[in-house]
């Protein structure tokens, strides 16, 4: 029979461990944490071991062996329950210390072999109660306990060297409490003849288990707190990132709105300047033609026709730039080619057109398309008005860094005899081209050799700009 003090300690520890097992099981059901699962298994196996001890309190022999008459064999139930508790403890301890992830280390080998060793020893204990093998039994008894002790010491040292946290300190504290209680209970049994303060070695061992559960429960609580802090930190980070994304989206919307407003202002200005002014001119010229004193003049009517044709071309260009179905690089080049072909038909020039590396699916916004088209148009008009050319070559090449457009003629180009007249007649055109290429962050080069070659280079960053580029 155990002493009264021992019985009270076991009953107290059984109640505390059972409550802890129930609480952590409910916690696991809600959180589904693998570490909580292994801890619940450990607490449940420990409570079962204590319950068995309380059930067999009046049968001292049952603590060594239990005889089943129907099978006519003895079973070491006490040792089985105890070592099953150790297996559950090691499984939890290894998961808590993440020993299953320590592959390639000595401690990983200890951890992987600990459960098979203890399972084999349980089988041996049940065999040993039915046979006489004292030497083998004492050797295995000492060997298994040394193995478990070495495993615990090596695991704690290796883990605490790398992981500095109260979570691991609590786990280490619980392990130290269990090892210390085991050593102290052995001391009480061997040196003090199984009594200290009227408490048996088993009572001291159960007290160690109780302290162990306190430390382990503190570790679980600390871990849950860390996870809560990490979740809050992650949530704040997500909220911060969402705020940044929202600000960026707002900035994009504002940029798109500004681009649309700029486009509206540009279209309004073009309609006012080109179409409004042109229509006013045509109206004035028509009124003058109707004047009887002025007389009907064929050359004057030709000017009205030319001005009307120019206004129609400007209107077509505006409509083309506004049509979203034309927002591709290929569409822009096709429009430029068509415009050049119209000039060739009206002038009779010998014209060559080349293109390379053009991708059909590259998107170019209407603002940028019109910007580039007007660059080419200005250059072609300069050739048409001032170069006295008979041949024209246009080359468009698309590469990773951007697009290059070169326009070459065999005329006099900008090398007119009168520099003053050159600046007067071509200065506005050159200035317009410079402003446009500057707005596109591009470059323009003018080469004079056997005629004139104008080269435009537009970088990819401007070519595929989605927010729009303000046209001067």
């Amino acid at each position: 029979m155990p002493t009264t003090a021992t019985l009270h300690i076991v009953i107290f520890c059984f109640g505390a461990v059972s409550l802890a097992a129930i609480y952590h099981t409910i916690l696991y059901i809600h959180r589904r944490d693998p570490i909580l699962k292994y801890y619940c298994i450990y607490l449940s196996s420990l409570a079962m071991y204590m319950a068995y001890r309380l059930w067999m309190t009046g049968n001292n022999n049952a603590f060594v062996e239990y005889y089943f008459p129907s099978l006519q064999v003895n079973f070491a139930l006490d040792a089985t329950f105890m070592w099953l508790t150790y297996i559950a403890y090691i499984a939890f301890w290894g998961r808590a210390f993440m020993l299953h992830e320590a592959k390639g280390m000595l401690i990983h080998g200890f951890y992987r072999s600990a459960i098979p060793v203890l399972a084999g020893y349980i089988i041996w204990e049940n065999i040993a109660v039915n046979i006489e093998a004292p030497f083998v039994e004492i050797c295995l008894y000492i060997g298994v306990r040394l193995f478990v002790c070495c495993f615990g010491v090596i695991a704690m040292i290796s883990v605490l060297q790398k992981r500095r946290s109260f979570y691991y300190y609590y786990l280490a504290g619980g392990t130290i409490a269990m090892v210390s209680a085991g050593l102290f209970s052995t001391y009480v049994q061997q040196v003090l003849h199984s009594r200290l303060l009227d408490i048996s070695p088993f009572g001291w061992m159960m007290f160690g288990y109780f302290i162990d559960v306190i430390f382990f429960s503190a570790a679980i609580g600390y871990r849950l707190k860390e996870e809560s802090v990490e979740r809050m930190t992650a949530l704040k980070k997500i909220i911060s990132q969402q705020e940044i994304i929202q600000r960026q989206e707002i900035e994009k919307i504002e940029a798109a709105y500004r681009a649309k407003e700029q486009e509206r202002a540009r279209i309004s200005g073009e309609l006012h300047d080109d179409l409004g002014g042109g229509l006013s001119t045509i109206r004035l010229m028509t009124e003058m033609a109707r004047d009887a004193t002025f007389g009907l003049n064929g050359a004057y009517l030709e000017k009205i026709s030319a001005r009307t044709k120019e206004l129609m071309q400007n209107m077509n260009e505006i409509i083309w730039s506004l049509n979203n179905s034309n927002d591709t690089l290929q569409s822009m080049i096709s429009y430029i080619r068509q415009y050049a072909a119209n000039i060739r038909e009206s002038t009779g020039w010998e014209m060559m057109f080349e293109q390379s590396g053009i991708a059909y699916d590259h998107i170019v916004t209407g603002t940028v398309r019109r910007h580039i088209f007007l660059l080419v148009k200005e250059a072609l008009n300069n050739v048409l008005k001032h170069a006295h050319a008979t041949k024209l070559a246009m080359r468009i090449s698309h590469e990773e860094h951007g697009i290059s457009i070169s326009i070459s003629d065999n005329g006099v180009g900008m090398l007119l005899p009168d520099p003053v007249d050159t600046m007067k007649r071509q200065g506005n055109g050159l200035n317009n081209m410079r402003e446009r290429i500057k707005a596109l962050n591009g470059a323009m080069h003018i080469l004079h050799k056997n005629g004139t070659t104008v080269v435009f280079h537009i970088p990819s960053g401007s070519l595929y700009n989605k927010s729009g580029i303000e046209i001067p």
Side-chain angles (χ1 to χ4, degrees):
M1 286 290 294
T3 63
T4 303
T6 300
L7 185 60
H8 289 167
I9 288 176
V10 174
I11 293 173
F12 171 77
C13 291
F14 169 73
V17 172
S18 298
L19 290 175
I22 294 171
Y23 170 75
H24 287 93
T25 300
I26 295 172
L27 198 60
Y28 168 72
I29 291 173
H30 289 287
R31 300 182 66 90
R32 298 295 177 178
D33 188 335
I35 294 179
L36 273 174
K37 178 179 72 174
Y38 284 96
Y39 188 48
C40 292
I41 293 173
Y42 166 61
L43 290 174
S44 300
S45 62
L46 182 58
M48 289 175 59
Y49 180 44
M50 292 179 179
Y52 170 77
R53 277 280 183 160
L54 289 172
W55 178 45
M56 292 296 178
T57 298
N59 188 350
N60 290 326
N61 189 50
F63 295 149
V64 178
E65 59 187 50
Y66 188 85
Y67 181 70
F68 282 83
S70 59
L71 300 176
Q72 296 183 354
V73 293
N74 291 310
F75 286 95
L77 293 184
D78 185 74
T80 299
F81 279 119
M82 183 184 71
W83 289 114
L84 285 176
T85 300
Y86 266 105
I87 289 175
Y89 167 77
I90 290 174
F92 159 70
W93 203 67
R95 179 67 61 165
F97 276 109
M98 292 186 289
L99 299 182
H100 61 290
E101 298 179 357
K103 296 181 179 179
M105 298 175 59
L106 176 64
I107 186 59
H108 182 69
F110 264 102
Y111 172 66
R112 292 294 298 273
S113 60
I115 294 177
V117 167
L118 293 183
Y121 188 66
I122 291 174
I123 296 173
W124 162 253
E125 285 277 14
N126 284 276
I127 294 174
V129 295
N130 294 283
I131 63 174
E132 292 292 333
F135 178 75
V136 176
E137 184 175 357
I138 193 65
C139 289
L140 291 177
Y141 179 89
I142 296 173
V144 169
R145 282 159 177 79
L146 286 175
F147 175 84
V148 172
C149 183
C150 291
F151 166 72
V153 172
I154 293 174
M156 276 197 302
I157 293 174
S158 63
V159 172
L160 293 179
Q161 282 179 341
K162 296 182 178 181
R163 307 181 187 276
R164 306 289 177 140
S165 168
F166 278 107
Y167 169 69
Y168 295 102
Y169 295 155
Y170 284 134
L171 291 174
T175 302
I176 292 171
M178 176 178 284
V179 172
S180 300
L183 294 175
F184 188 72
S185 64
T186 303
Y187 172 78
V188 172
Q189 183 177 8
Q190 300 297 327
V191 178
L192 303 180
H193 307 291
S194 301
R195 288 291 185 277
L196 178 63
L197 301 178
D198 201 31
I199 301 174
S200 68
F202 181 75
W204 287 108
M205 188 64 197
M206 291 299 99
F207 183 74
Y209 274 119
F210 173 72
I211 301 299
D212 168 80
V213 170
I214 291 177
F215 273 102
F216 282 177
S217 297
I220 294 295
Y222 185 83
R223 183 172 181 272
L224 295 178
K225 175 188 173 183
E226 282 187 325
E227 288 181 349
S228 177
V229 172
E230 289 175 358
R231 282 197 298 270
M232 289 298 298
T233 303
L235 181 60
K236 289 180 180 179
K237 186 176 180 180
I238 292 172
I239 293 174
S240 177
Q241 290 175 343
Q242 288 178 342
E243 290 177 351
I244 293 173
I245 293 173
Q246 288 176 353
R247 285 198 299 269
Q248 291 175 345
E249 290 296 327
I250 291 173
E251 290 174 357
K252 287 181 181 179
I253 293 173
E254 291 177 347
Y257 177 77
R258 287 194 299 268
K260 288 182 180 179
E261 289 299 309
Q262 291 171 359
E263 182 72 1
R264 290 175 61 185
R266 179 185 67 79
I267 295 170
S268 175
E270 288 187 354
L271 290 174
H272 179 271
D273 296 340
D274 291 346
L275 299 182
L279 290 173
S280 297
T281 301
I282 292 172
R283 184 183 63 82
L284 180 61
M285 295 173 69
T286 304
E287 291 295 329
M288 292 175 65
R290 291 174 57 190
D291 192 342
T293 60
F294 186 80
L296 191 61
N297 190 317
Y300 207 69
L301 293 177
E302 184 66 26
K303 289 182 179 180
I304 294 175
S305 175
R307 186 58 175 160
T308 303
K309 184 178 180 181
E310 181 182 352
L311 289 178
M312 291 176 63
Q313 175 64 30
N314 291 343
M315 178 62 74
N316 287 334
E317 292 169 8
I318 293 174
I319 294 172
W320 170 75
S321 66
L322 294 176
N323 192 342
N324 293 335
S325 63
N326 297 322
D327 283 353
T328 63
L329 184 59
Q330 181 63 33
S331 175
M332 180 189 72
I333 293 174
S334 297
Y335 193 78
I336 291 174
R337 188 168 185 170
Q338 180 183 355
Y339 182 80
N342 292 336
I343 293 178
R344 181 190 62 187
E345 291 179 1
S346 62
T347 60
W349 286 346
E350 181 182 341
M351 184 176 292
M352 180 183 68
F353 190 95
E354 294 181 356
Q355 67 181 55
S356 61
I358 304 303
Y360 288 86
D361 56 347
H362 281 310
I363 302 299
V364 183
T365 61
T367 303
V368 178
R369 283 190 290 112
R370 180 159 172 77
H371 210 354
I372 295 173
F373 170 74
L374 291 178
L375 276 172
V376 175
K377 180 181 178 181
E378 194 73 53
L380 291 175
N381 286 344
N382 281 341
V383 176
L384 182 65
K385 294 177 182 179
H386 310 299
H388 308 295
T390 60
K391 294 182 180 180
L392 187 72
M394 183 181 298
R395 297 176 177 85
I396 301 178
S397 61
H398 180 253
E399 300 174 358
E400 183 179 355
H401 57 276
I403 188 172
S404 293
I405 303 174
S406 68
I407 301 171
S408 302
D409 66 74
N410 66 343
V412 298
M414 299 178 187
L415 300 179
L416 294 177
D418 185 355
V420 176
D421 187 56
T422 299
M423 293 300 296
K424 179 180 178 181
R425 289 189 292 173
Q426 294 194 350
N428 289 336
L430 286 174
N431 288 336
N432 287 341
M433 286 192 292
R434 289 191 183 100
E435 289 298 322
R436 293 184 187 282
I437 202 68
K438 181 180 179 182
L440 287 169
N441 297 317
M444 179 179 72
H445 304 284
I446 300 176
L447 308 174
H448 301 289
K449 184 177 181 181
N450 300 325
T452 303
T453 299
V454 181
V455 181
F456 303 112
H457 176 72
I458 298 94
S460 298
S462 299
L463 189 64
Y464 308 124
N465 185 356
K466 297 299 186 298
S467 61
I469 297 175
E470 183 177 0
I471 295 181

